[in-house]
Amino acid sequence: MFEQSIILSAIRDAIDWVLGLVGQDISILPLPVQVVLCGLIAAGGLMGAIAFAVLIYVWMERRIAGRMQARRGPNRVGPYGLLQTVADTFKLLRKEDIIPTGANRILFAFAPMLVLAGVVAAFAAIPISWDADKGEPIMIADIDLGIFLITAIVATEVIGVIMAGWASNNKWSLYGAMREAAQVVSYEIPLGLSLLVPVLIVGDLSLGAATEDQLGGNWLIWRNPFMWAVFFIFYVAGLANCKRAPFDLPEAESELVAGFHTEYSGLRFSFFFMEEYASMTLISAIGAIYFFGAGDLFGLQGSSSLIMFGVLLFKILVSIFVMMWIRWTLPRLRIDQVMTLGYKVLTPIAFFLLLGVTVWDLYDLNDKLWELFSRS
Amino acid sequence: MTAAHIAFAAFALITVVSAFVVASHRSIVHSAFGLFFTFFGVAGLYLTLGADFVMAAQILIYVGGIMVLLLFGVMLTPSRRSDFVPARFLRALTLGAIVLVGLLWVLKNAHWATQELASPESTIDEIGRQLLTREQYLLPFEVVSVLLLAALIGAAYLARRRKIVD
Amino acid sequence: MLNPAMPLPDDPLDRDILIGAGDISTDEMYINMGPQHPSTHGVLRVLLRTDGEIVTEAHPHIGYLHRCAEKIGECLDYIKFQPYTDRMDYLAAMNNNLGYAMTVEKLAGLEIPERAQLLRVIIVELNRIASHLIAFGTYGLDAGALTPFFHAWREREEMLTLFEKICGARLTYNYVCIGGVVNDMPEGWEDMVLDFLDRFEKRWKEYNDLLTYNRIFIRRTADIGVITREDCVAYALTGPMMRGSGIDWDLRRDRPYMMYDRFEYDIPIGEGKMGTVGDCWDRYWVRMVEMKESGKIVRQAFDMLKGAEGTHKAKVPKVFKPKKGECYVGIENPRGELGFYIVSDGSKNAYRMRVRGPSFCNLSILEKLLPGAMIADAVMIIGSTDIVLGEVDR
């Protein structure tokens, strides 16, 4: 398994180096231990990276919200208020851990972890950059299933939310859970269909292959005239899937108090919070990789994988900014409007686009049009 | 003992323990959540068999779809805790023991064809080719999809809200 | 019931409703909206019976903020009760002051100087804007849009500073008093107000771009919570709640008090621009337009103030004893007809005091409007009644 991914083999080399300090090498560890150890380190690193990113996102969100709402946002703790979220994290950590009477203690405690785990696990299949020397994407696990596995793993998050809503023994929480179940399961259809289009064009489920395919400015978004519409559907369905406004019905604070996490506080609450931002990042990353060339900047980035990582990060941040912009601008939809939009608008359009792209690709219309154009 | 053995043992343990919870827990919602872990364990078992596509499909369909539906159904039914009835328990125990003995007998006497597996390759290419080429399984695949569509429409027809006519 | 651990409600009334309902099917449940719910605008509690997302029954419960305001009015001197009126409809405290002051003045037969009347008109109309700003902002919150709220608050903040300049308080002003107003406006205040109104009118257009004409907002409010003209009369609705249903009735014009008959302004009524006449959007729009019209009145009042006679306050005796009798005065509060009914037995304090609160009366239609709506609509309907619980419970 080590030859499959650059990150895991790097971790293995690092362990080897550390053991070298005490005059040993990695072969003293049995293979299963090596596997589990590398996996744990990778998972820990991923978790840490997401937690750090969430700190930045929350700060971003507050500053952006402040700007849009004619106020300042955090600006006292640290430069530009950057340490405000760190301080808030400590506040959340120190808070009393409250489990309401009548709540189901086991499920109540387990739900936040399940919710976060699903989304974090999906990041294993996201390539963060491209190694030009080896001609391989840099990612934790370059699995052939790629996007299929991601959509599958992320689906477990719904179960976590239902669990949280039910275990809280609060009717508002239960409403939140039901809405989540209805909404997320419905929007998986347009989301999956819109993801099918780039998969079809690349011809591979792995996101690493998509990264490779788009090097040198050959972004999927330029490949045919349907792609912008496909991206729009993907983005809307993605917003609905990570429960961001205007689709934040499961936690609609004006209707359901706080929806499925009404009864949560402290660290457990922060898990839900992290999940929201993590899934925003996931959707943004998939969007950047599948539509906007991943780490590619028209080939200008050269062969440095670090710059490519930076470019990808920049694209993700732009997408997250747009999500925040939408959140602080639009009112919330009603649940039946959300369902109508999903089933009667997005899904048929996604089907139509899928058909269109297929036909376009089948008859190679890009080349034919180009010929026609250059002849005249 | 290899990594595959350990993985198999771990997934098998998850599957069996959670399946036991599903069967034995008094609260139906707990059983449903137990089933969630059973599905996960089974998905892991598929992985150890090298069937990665089936693994992902198992998670996507069972965990993401069927589990959610199941939980919906379970949460909306009045959840009475089932009482412990000794006679019923005895009956179940007898039946269970008979089935167990039968299974053990089959396990012991079956002729198990074994083959050394090559290191698991990705199956998805092959599955795609088999399902979508005319020489292979395209027709059955399409027939099944039409059947599912018919079932879907039928279910929607049966479940829709009718106006009460006296 | 869904969860075996969910207990029966403690409140005997709730239990009556629960048990009295008899046939509780499993897919219906009772749910308490409030008193600590974020969008019941205070401590209103609505007991909802829901079938999935759809409300089948609604029972508003009030009284969590009851402070015996009317009884206090019977125990205190007429002048001493004035500050208590601030605490009823705290978002439109000036209007409440005015309603009470006018009732007592009518009882005592006091003549109010022209200048005092104009100052009252100015401050009351400004307070109407401030109050409707809250209605607009919180309605955005109810719909899930947080930004309009902050924008509304930015303008309200400026207004509160103006109020602070003239009377020293930012919420409970006690500015309009029996006989006139407490003090004349400070120097330069007029320019500050006019300056603010210029800015406000520009921002009013921004509000409409941001929220009023937003497609999602229209979808959430049009055709929701429709009140017919008949229901308006039957439930004694007043103010924007009634005008939203197309009934052209405004006490300022139709039963003129103070100097309202001398101003030029329009009274907006619901026209069903985005849906049906009398839906949530219409009520919202009536409030929006009223803000603009109030600005017009304030400008005219400042013009008139230049040639106005008299001082800011009539002479009121220290020991204030109106003669025996009773009287009722209703004024157009931002929420509707605010009426004070006072019976005097000739002593220092009122023999009987009764308040006709617009929020209280407007609230009564919730029981009819909510059934059939979805929970999200219920929030929008409650928001569109624009109640202030301080005045409902008094």
Side-chain angles (χ1 to χ4, degrees):
Chain A
M1 69 174 283
F2 287 115
E3 58 274 17
Q4 277 200 355
S5 108
I6 289 180
I7 290 182
L8 281 183
S9 49
I11 292 172
R12 186 170 180 268
D13 293 344
I15 297 173
D16 200 35
W17 181 79
V18 170
L19 287 173
L21 294 180
V22 291
Q24 300 283 351
D25 69 13
I26 198 157
S27 55
I28 62 154
L29 300 172
L31 188 66
V33 177
Q34 285 181 29
V35 172
V36 172
L37 199 62
C38 289
L40 280 180
I41 292 175
L46 193 55
M47 195 60 226
I50 288 171
F52 177 74
V54 170
L55 285 184
I56 304 293
Y57 289 153
V58 173
W59 174 82
M60 252 174 86
E61 177 111 59
R62 286 171 166 180
R63 293 291 286 199
I64 290 168
R67 268 296 152 89
M68 290 177 180
Q69 298 174 341
R71 57 191 177 86
R72 289 204 172 85
N75 57 31
R76 292 302 155 98
V77 190
Y80 303 102
L82 264 169
L83 296 179
Q84 182 69 53
T85 39
V86 180
D88 284 347
T89 311
F90 279 110
K91 184 201 74 176
L92 282 175
L93 285 173
R94 287 187 63 247
K95 268 192 160 184
E96 188 190 349
D97 178 29
I98 299 169
I99 298 181
T101 338
N104 188 312
R105 300 184 72 92
I106 303 167
L107 294 181
F108 186 83
F110 184 71
M113 298 180 220
L114 183 62
V115 165
L116 188 58
V119 180
V120 173
F123 276 94
I126 296 281
I128 56 172
S129 186
W130 178 260
D131 191 326
D133 299 336
K134 291 185 187 159
E136 262 182 62
I138 299 180
M139 59 206 292
I140 292 177
D142 189 6
I143 332 164
D144 295 326
L145 286 172
I147 193 70
F148 187 62
L149 187 74
I150 291 177
T151 41
I153 293 269
V154 169
T156 58
E157 179 242 347
V158 187
I159 304 286
V161 169
I162 296 177
M163 204 184 265
W166 187 82
S168 295
N169 189 31
N170 178 323
K171 291 175 188 173
W172 296 113
S173 299
L174 196 63
Y175 265 113
M178 309 255 255
R179 283 184 177 186
E180 160 90 13
Q183 178 182 322
V184 173
V185 172
S186 314
Y187 274 78
E188 263 167 21
I189 300 166
L191 188 69
L193 284 172
S194 60
L195 283 175
L196 208 53
V197 171
V199 168
L200 206 74
I201 299 177
V202 175
D204 199 316
L205 282 169
S206 164
L207 283 109
T211 309
E212 184 180 9
D213 200 45
Q214 301 178 81
L215 286 174
N218 192 18
W219 298 1
L220 286 174
I221 199 94
W222 318 126
R223 295 281 176 90
N224 66 54
F226 301 99
M227 283 313 265
W228 281 98
V230 174
F231 175 71
F232 181 75
I233 295 212
F234 163 78
Y235 204 72
V236 174
L239 270 181
N241 251 14
C242 42
K243 312 186 286 289
R244 279 295 283 197
F247 301 103
D248 55 345
L249 287 110
E251 47 179 286
E253 79 288 330
S254 65
E255 296 154 28
L256 305 184
V257 189
F260 61 89
H261 59 62
T262 305
E263 300 286 356
Y264 282 87
S265 65
L267 194 61
R268 295 186 210 283
F269 165 73
S270 73
F271 272 35
F272 288 115
F273 215 68
M274 280 168 73
E275 182 269 335
E276 181 178 332
Y277 285 102
S279 53
M280 278 162 71
T281 315
L282 187 70
I283 291 293
S284 302
I286 294 172
I289 292 167
Y290 260 161
F291 294 91
F292 292 96
D296 178 70
L297 199 68
F298 307 107
L300 296 175
Q301 79 284 357
S303 58
S304 158
S305 48
L306 202 64
I307 294 180
M308 285 192 77
F309 177 57
V311 172
L312 179 65
L313 216 55
F314 174 74
K315 287 173 183 169
I316 292 175
L317 283 178
V318 169
S319 155
I320 284 187
F321 170 75
V322 173
M323 286 181 178
M324 291 176 179
W325 186 6
I326 291 172
R327 172 166 179 192
W328 299 113
T329 309
L330 293 181
R332 187 182 302 117
L333 290 159
R334 206 171 54 206
I335 184 72
D336 61 323
Q337 293 165 349
V338 169
M339 302 305 274
T340 312
L341 181 68
Y343 278 120
K344 293 190 182 167
V345 181
L346 293 184
T347 307
I349 296 178
F351 267 117
F352 168 76
L353 291 171
L354 183 63
L355 197 70
V357 170
T358 322
V359 170
W360 192 274
D361 246 30
L362 189 64
Y363 293 102
D364 243 343
L365 287 181
N366 269 343
D367 292 350
K368 284 190 182 141
L369 282 179
W370 179 246
E371 260 170 47
L372 215 68
F373 179 71
S374 46
R375 209 179 299 156
S376 61
Chain B
M1 200 157 85
T2 64
H5 281 118
I6 295 176
F8 172 79
F11 287 129
L13 195 73
I14 293 176
T15 313
V16 170
V17 169
S18 59
F20 182 74
V21 171
V22 174
S24 63
H25 207 286
R26 292 276 160 73
S27 157
I28 190 167
V29 178
H30 279 91
S31 295
F33 281 122
L35 198 58
F36 166 72
F37 292 99
T38 316
F39 286 148
F40 246 107
V42 172
L45 290 177
Y46 284 135
L47 191 66
T48 57
L49 290 173
D52 53 355
F53 178 78
V54 183
M55 185 265 305
Q58 162 91 5
I59 295 179
L60 184 70
I61 292 164
Y62 279 92
V63 175
I66 293 183
M67 256 322 279
V68 174
L69 260 179
L70 197 78
L71 279 172
F72 246 103
V74 163
M75 287 197 305
L76 292 176
T77 46
S79 64
R80 274 188 299 274
R81 280 165 178 263
S82 48
D83 295 322
F84 180 79
V85 183
R88 207 187 289 161
F89 179 71
L90 211 65
R91 250 179 290 159
L93 200 68
T94 327
L95 208 66
I98 293 169
V99 171
L100 183 69
V101 168
L103 279 176
L104 286 176
W105 185 80
V106 170
L107 276 176
K108 194 161 179 303
N109 296 313
H111 173 68
W112 296 98
T114 53
Q115 190 189 352
E116 203 55 41
L117 267 178
S119 105
E121 284 291 317
S122 170
T123 57
I124 183 142
D125 284 351
E126 194 52 35
I127 289 177
R129 210 157 285 133
Q130 298 258 335
L131 281 183
L132 293 175
T133 41
R134 210 178 305 160
E135 295 77 30
Q136 304 286 344
Y137 296 99
L138 182 62
L139 186 68
F141 181 70
E142 288 301 326
V143 168
V144 167
S145 66
V146 170
L147 181 71
L148 282 177
L149 183 68
L152 196 71
I153 294 170
Y157 174 77
L158 289 176
R160 99 206 137 100
R161 210 170 272 214
R162 284 192 193 79
K163 278 182 194 143
I164 298 163
V165 186
D166 308 276
Chain C
M1 309 270 12
L2 287 157
N3 193 327
M6 273 178 196
L8 272 173
D10 290 329
D11 192 328
L13 183 62
D14 294 0
R15 203 173 292 162
D16 278 356
I17 293 166
L18 209 100
I19 295 162
D23 54 337
I24 307 162
S25 51
T26 47
D27 45 32
E28 289 201 340
M29 69 174 174
Y30 278 90
I31 187 160
N32 259 319
M33 195 166 180
Q36 274 95 22
H37 191 280
S39 53
T40 50
H41 297 228
V43 285
L44 174 68
R45 167 166 161 241
V46 188
L47 184 67
L48 300 176
R49 178 178 173 156
T50 55
D51 174 9
E53 285 268 346
I54 295 165
V55 177
T56 53
E57 251 178 72
H59 305 278
H61 290 211
I62 58 170
Y64 289 89
L65 208 58
H66 181 53
R67 290 152 301 173
C68 309
E70 288 167 2
K71 187 67 196 167
I72 292 171
E74 291 162 16
C75 300
L76 287 180
D77 292 5
Y78 285 100
I79 297 171
K80 281 184 186 162
F81 182 64
Q82 189 75 55
Y84 284 87
T85 57
D86 285 324
R87 273 106 184 137
M88 286 186 205
D89 187 346
Y90 40 78
L91 293 182
M94 296 284 189
N95 302 56
N96 279 32
N97 286 168
L98 178 70
Y100 176 69
M102 278 177 59
T103 318
V104 178
E105 283 154 11
K106 192 176 170 195
L107 199 63
L110 275 174
E111 276 295 319
I112 309 302
E114 206 172 74
R115 187 174 178 83
Q117 293 206 16
L118 284 169
L119 281 170
R120 281 178 169 188
V121 168
I122 291 167
I123 205 75
V124 161
E125 291 304 323
L126 283 177
N127 206 166
R128 190 186 308 277
I129 297 177
S131 169
H132 281 344
L133 275 174
I134 295 280
F136 155 73
T138 51
Y139 205 44
L141 272 190
D142 288 343
L146 275 76
T147 303
F149 182 70
F150 285 93
H151 284 224
W153 211 266
R154 174 185 61 194
E155 269 68 78
R156 190 175 148 89
E157 201 60 26
E158 285 183 34
M159 303 199 77
L160 295 189
T161 310
L162 292 175
F163 293 154
E164 194 183 2
K165 286 246 155 52
I166 202 168
C167 68
R170 291 173 75 87
L171 186 70
T172 48
Y173 315 109
N174 193 22
Y175 176 66
V176 179
C177 65
I178 296 167
V181 291
V182 170
N183 51 279
D184 211 328
M185 59 182 182
E187 218 168 289
W189 194 74
E190 178 180 348
D191 295 331
M192 286 170 70
V193 172
L194 292 177
D195 198 39
F196 165 77
L197 285 177
D198 290 340
R199 261 172 295 142
F200 176 73
E201 270 149 29
K202 270 184 218 128
R203 283 168 178 176
W204 185 81
K205 292 193 183 81
E206 270 178 30
Y207 299 161
N208 290 339
D209 294 339
L210 185 60
L211 190 66
T212 312
Y213 296 123
N214 183 303
R215 293 267 304 173
I216 298 177
F217 180 72
I218 293 172
R219 284 280 199 96
R220 287 294 305 279
T221 50
D223 295 327
I224 303 295
V226 179
I227 306 176
T228 59
R229 294 173 68 104
E230 291 73 33
D231 280 344
C232 276
V233 178
Y235 282 87
L237 303 186
T238 46
M241 284 286 279
M242 174 186 64
R243 286 193 286 277
S245 298
I247 300 180
D248 198 3
W249 173 261
D250 188 315
L251 289 180
R252 289 177 295 178
R253 184 195 58 200
D254 298 312
R255 206 193 290 159
Y257 52 95
M258 292 205 300
M259 296 162 75
Y260 272 115
D261 44 353
R262 292 211 241 148
F263 298 104
E264 292 222 350
Y265 55 97
D266 295 326
I267 289 164
I269 55 167
E271 290 156 351
K273 239 188 194 172
M274 298 294 164
T276 325
V277 178
D279 58 12
C280 287
W281 195 89
D282 273 352
R283 293 196 279 280
Y284 164 86
W285 182 239
V286 163
R287 291 196 182 96
M288 293 304 281
V289 179
E290 272 185 14
M291 282 202 265
K292 216 169 81 173
E293 298 302 319
S294 290
K296 269 192 208 165
I297 298 178
V298 172
R299 282 176 197 280
Q300 292 171 36
F302 272 124
D303 286 342
M304 288 185 191
L305 201 60
K306 293 193 179 87
E309 293 163 0
T311 55
H312 66 274
K313 194 177 176 189
K315 279 216 159 19
V316 180
K318 278 262 155 55
V319 182
F320 187 73
K321 283 186 185 173
K323 58 183 182 298
K324 228 172 170 175
E326 59 184 280
C327 91
Y328 172 86
V329 173
I331 66 157
E332 190 70 29
N333 177 290
R335 283 166 192 80
E337 178 175 348
L338 171 74
F340 281 85
Y341 175 68
I342 300 176
V343 181
S344 162
D345 56 359
S347 66
K348 279 196 297 184
N349 42 357
Y351 173 74
R352 177 78 177 95
M353 159 100 60
R354 167 94 181 100
V355 183
R356 188 246 184 244
S359 296
F360 177 75
C361 296
N362 290 349
L363 180 79
S364 61
I365 200 169
L366 283 185
E367 212 155 0
K368 183 179 163 69
L369 277 189
L370 294 186
M374 300 184 83
I375 289 185
D377 293 339
V379 168
M380 296 311 280
I381 292 170
I382 294 173
S384 78
T385 57
D386 187 26
I387 41 172
V388 171
L389 267 296
E391 185 235 78
V392 172
D393 294 342
R394 294 196 280 278

